[in-house]
């Protein structure tokens, strides 16, 4: 399972040696934080796959790892079995349009992205445990009720 490190400027997906071999990546995946446009939690990351591995490893239902290429998009994928995951949409990233990862830390990632974090990279679980998640204070929307006939 991947480790997610976050600091003020970037999100780093730390890959184990086995994950590096399966995904054909020599280094960890680093994203500029400003390129992250949307983070979605999913119970079945397999439904988010699009395209074919190039280069990558694909054993249906067991492992999908590497770069997935589809018409007009390139995704980084690391899915193991039927575990919960996270889908990270990117805009303006040089390499990828989307990251699809199996991780149980998806909720912690969404919360940590809302916080001000230090300049030193830290695990998203630690960030959430030590920080407080801001609550949006806005105006409440009026409740629209149908008129009686």
């Amino acid at each position: 399972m991947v480790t997610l490190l976050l600091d003020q400027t970037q999100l780093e997906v730390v890959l184990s040696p086995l994950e590096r071999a399966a995904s054909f990546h020599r280094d960890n995946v680093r994203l500029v934080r400003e390129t992250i446009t949307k983070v979605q939690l999913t119970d079945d990351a397999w439904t988010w796959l699009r395209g074919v591995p190039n280069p990558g490893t694909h054993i249906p239902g067991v492992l999908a790892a590497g770069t997935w290429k589809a018409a007009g998009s390139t995704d980084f994928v690391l899915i193991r079995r039927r575990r919960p995951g996270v889908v990270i949409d990117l805009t303006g990233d040089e390499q990828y349009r989307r990251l699809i990862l199996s991780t149980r830390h998806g909720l912690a990632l969404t919360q940590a992205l809302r916080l001000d974090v230090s300049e030193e990279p830290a695990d998203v679980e630690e960030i959430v445990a030590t920080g407080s998640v801001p609550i949006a204070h806005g105006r409440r929307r009026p409740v629209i009720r149908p008129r009686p006939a």
Side-chain angles (χ1 to χ4, degrees), residues 69-134:
K69 295 196 179 201
S73 73
T74 303
D75 302 341
F76 179 78
V77 175
L78 188 53
I79 304 171
R80 295 163 89 188
R81 304 245 178 233
R82 298 280 179 198
R83 297 183 180 162
V86 64
V87 179
I88 304 169
D89 289 326
L90 308 168
T91 301
D93 187 74
E94 297 174 1
Q95 202 169 12
Y96 299 113
R97 298 269 317 261
R98 180 183 286 172
L99 267 68
I100 307 167
L101 308 169
S102 291
T103 180
R104 59 183 168 181
H105 305 300
L107 183 59
L109 173 63
T110 59
Q111 293 172 339
L113 285 169
R114 295 180 186 161
L115 297 172
D116 291 328
V117 296
S118 72
E119 294 179 13
E120 295 297 317
D123 190 294
V124 294
E125 286 286 312
E126 293 173 14
I127 292 171
V128 172
T130 59
S132 60
V133 180

